[in-house]
Amino acid sequence: MDSTACLRLPFLPARARHSSSSSSPRRAPRTPSAIKCCAADADSSSLSTSSTSLRRPAVVNGVDGLAGPPVPVPDSPPLASRDLHWLPRPLTSADLMDASGKGLKVAYQGCPGAYSEAAAKKAYPNCQTVPCEHFDTAFKAVENWLADRAVLPLENSLGGSIHRNFDLLLRHRLHIVGEVRYAVRHCLLANPGVKIENLKSAMSHPQALAQCENTLTDFGIEHREAVDDTAGAAKIVAERQLQDTGAIASLLAAELYGLDVLAENIQDDKDNVTRFMMLAREPIIPRTDKPFKTSIVFSLEEGPGQLFKALGVFALREINLTKIESRPHKKRPLRITDDSFSTPSKQFDYLFYVDLEASMADPKTQNALGNLKEFATFLRVLGSYPTDMNEA
C-alpha cells in the first residue's frame, strides 16, 4: 500500500424528512460496518471488520499525548450524541507492516555505516534505512511522511543523555513506540597501507573521541578532529585519501568506505551501550502482558517540595522511576523570584523528563498521572512502549 493511501469510512446518516402532511415513521439511520484497526505494535498488526468500532482517545485521564486502550462504541448512537472525534482513524501503511520492518522506511542521523543505522537495523531488521544530516531532519522526515519511523539515540552509558533529542521530543509531535539498546564497538580505521605508527590524528564524533581518549594516547595519536558523526569521519578519510589521519567508526563503515581496520574495540570502557528510541506518527496501544516503559515530561510551579510531591505520586503507587532528566524550559527560560532576604533575582525554570517502569494500560499509572496533572503546570506523555529486554 502506498504510504499516503488510506481507507476511509463513509459517514452517511440517513436524511430525516420533516413533513406536516405525512405521519409515516422515520427509519433509524444506518451505520456501515466499521473497520477495527490496531496501531502498529511491536508484535503484530491486525485488520478486521466488525459492527462495533474501537475509539482511540487522544487523552487519558486528561493527559495529553497518548491513545489509551480501545473502548467499545455502540453500534448506532443517537445522532445528537455522536462525537465525530471518536470515529476510527484512517489506516496508515504502518498498520499493514510486519514486526520485522519489511516495507518500513526508517530515518536515522548520520551517514551510511553509522551506529544509528545499525541500531535501526536491529530494531527493524528488514527495513529500508534513510540517512539524515541532523536529528531534526529525522523528526521532520517522519512527520512529512518521507519515512515511517525514526531511530535516534537518547542516552549513552558513558557519555550520558543526548540533550538535543530531549528538546526535539517536545518540539515535535512524534510518539516513542519502542526502544533498542546497541553495544558500541569502536574501531580505528585508515586507508589501505597506512599503519598505526603513521597516524598523527584521529577523526570522529566528539563522544567517540572522548570514549577512546586513553587508547589513542597509548597509540601515540595526539591530535583529535571532531566531525558530526563516526561514519562521516570514515567517509572523509576515504574520500581525501588521508595518510596521517585515522577514523574511529564501526566495522560496517570500514567495509562501506574501503578502509582497513587497524584495531577493534578501542573504547576505554568495554561496556559502551547506547539506548535508542523508536519514533512514529501514531502511538501504539499499551499492554500489560509484558514489561512496558512510559516516558513523560512535565513542569511545576516554584515552591518548596514541589518536585518531591511530583515524584511522590509514583512512589505511593509503587511505580519505579528509571530515569529523570531536567532541561531548561525553552518558553520560560527564566523565572523571577522574590523573598524577604534578598532583592528579586532570575532563576532557571525547568522541564522534567521521567521514565516509568509502567504501562499506560495499568490503572495505577493513569491514576498517578491524573494526580500529577492536578498540580503540574504542564504534562505530556511522550510514549508508552515495550522495554527492550534483549542483550545490547
Side-chain angles (χ1 to χ4, degrees):
M1 181 182 290
D2 194 328
S3 62
T4 58
C6 62
L7 298 180
R8 296 185 178 276
L9 297 179
F11 181 63
L12 302 172
R15 180 176 299 171
R17 298 180 180 177
H18 299 278
S19 173
S20 59
S21 62
S22 173
S23 60
S24 58
R26 290 179 291 177
R27 289 187 177 182
R30 296 183 58 194
T31 304
S33 295
I35 290 183
K36 178 175 65 177
C37 56
C38 248
D41 204 339
D43 290 338
S44 64
S45 298
S46 61
L47 175 66
S48 61
T49 57
S50 170
S51 61
T52 299
S53 64
L54 296 182
R55 66 185 182 187
R56 295 169 50 89
V59 176
V60 175
N61 273 16
V63 180
D64 175 30
L66 183 70
V71 181
V73 178
D75 287 345
S76 298
L79 288 177
S81 64
R82 183 172 293 171
D83 186 352
L84 300 183
H85 178 71
W86 302 122
L87 287 175
R89 67 172 176 82
L91 287 177
T92 69
S93 58
D95 295 317
L96 308 179
M97 297 173 183
D98 59 33
S100 70
K102 186 176 182 181
L104 278 177
K105 292 183 178 180
V106 180
Y108 68 93
Q109 186 273 329
C111 297
Y115 292 111
S116 291
E117 182 182 28
K121 287 288 189 180
K122 183 179 180 182
Y124 303 103
N126 298 316
C127 71
Q128 176 187 344
T129 53
V130 181
C132 299
E133 186 176 7
H134 304 293
F135 291 131
D136 192 38
T137 309
F139 275 87
K140 291 178 180 177
V142 179
E143 288 180 328
N144 296 333
W145 292 78
L146 300 175
D148 303 294
R149 299 284 191 276
V151 174
L152 299 172
L154 203 56
E155 60 179 334
N156 177 264
S157 58
L158 301 181
S161 299
I162 290 83
H163 295 131
R164 175 63 176 162
N165 283 334
F166 279 92
D167 296 338
L168 290 173
L169 276 171
L170 198 56
R171 181 180 301 178
H172 297 271
R173 298 295 296 187
L174 298 184
H175 303 268
I176 304 177
V177 296
E179 66 175 4
V180 59
R181 294 179 298 166
Y182 185 80
V184 177
R185 301 287 181 259
H186 290 309
C187 301
L188 180 60
L189 314 179
N191 281 299
V194 175
K195 307 299 182 183
I196 290 182
E197 53 268 23
N198 302 138
L199 298 178
K200 298 178 181 179
S201 177
M203 179 184 298
S204 193
H205 186 277
Q207 278 204 12
L209 292 172
Q211 292 165 8
C212 303
E213 179 66 30
N214 294 334
T215 305
L216 291 175
T217 300
D218 292 342
F219 286 157
I221 303 173
E222 298 296 337
H223 187 259
R224 315 284 187 262
E225 188 172 348
V227 292
D228 288 340
D229 68 285
T230 56
K235 183 179 180 182
I236 291 172
V237 169
E239 287 181 343
R240 298 180 184 177
Q241 286 294 303
L242 301 177
Q243 300 300 305
D244 62 351
T245 301
I248 298 176
S250 65
L251 287 172
L252 176 59
E255 180 182 346
L256 288 176
Y257 300 109
L259 300 177
D260 285 347
V261 180
L262 303 185
E264 295 185 37
N265 294 334
I266 66 171
Q267 59 274 3
D268 298 333
D269 191 324
K270 302 308 177 185
D271 293 325
N272 184 9
V273 178
T274 299
R275 183 166 74 97
F276 290 80
M277 57 182 172
M278 300 145 66
L279 298 170
R281 289 179 292 272
E282 293 285 342
I284 61 172
I285 296 176
R287 297 158 53 173
T288 57
D289 59 344
K290 59 181 179 180
F292 256 65
K293 185 180 290 185
T294 298
S295 296
I296 65 173
V297 56
F298 60 89
S299 60
L300 300 168
E301 290 285 358
E302 171 62 18
Q306 285 294 306
L307 182 57
F308 176 81
K309 182 179 177 182
L311 300 182
V313 305
F314 305 110
L316 290 173
R317 295 170 176 86
E318 298 184 339
I319 297 175
N320 188 40
L321 308 184
T322 60
K323 180 179 177 63
I324 180 168
E325 180 86 19
S326 63
R327 296 287 297 149
H329 200 311
K330 299 292 185 181
K331 294 184 178 179
R332 294 187 304 171
L334 293 175
R335 178 178 58 241
I336 299 178
T337 61
D338 189 7
D339 57 55
S340 57
F341 302 102
S342 64
T343 57
S345 61
K346 293 183 178 180
Q347 305 291 338
F348 280 104
D349 202 4
Y350 291 96
L351 291 163
F352 299 96
Y353 292 81
V354 175
D355 287 347
L356 321 172
E357 274 190 341
S359 169
M360 278 297 295
D362 190 337
K364 70 178 183 180
T365 308
Q366 298 183 22
N367 291 336
L369 295 185
N371 190 179
L372 177 59
K373 193 174 187 297
E374 292 175 2
F375 57 90
T377 57
F378 168 77
L379 173 61
R380 177 175 160 191
V381 174
L382 300 171
S384 191
Y385 48 92
T387 302
D388 183 13
M389 305 298 290
N390 300 318
E391 290 295 327

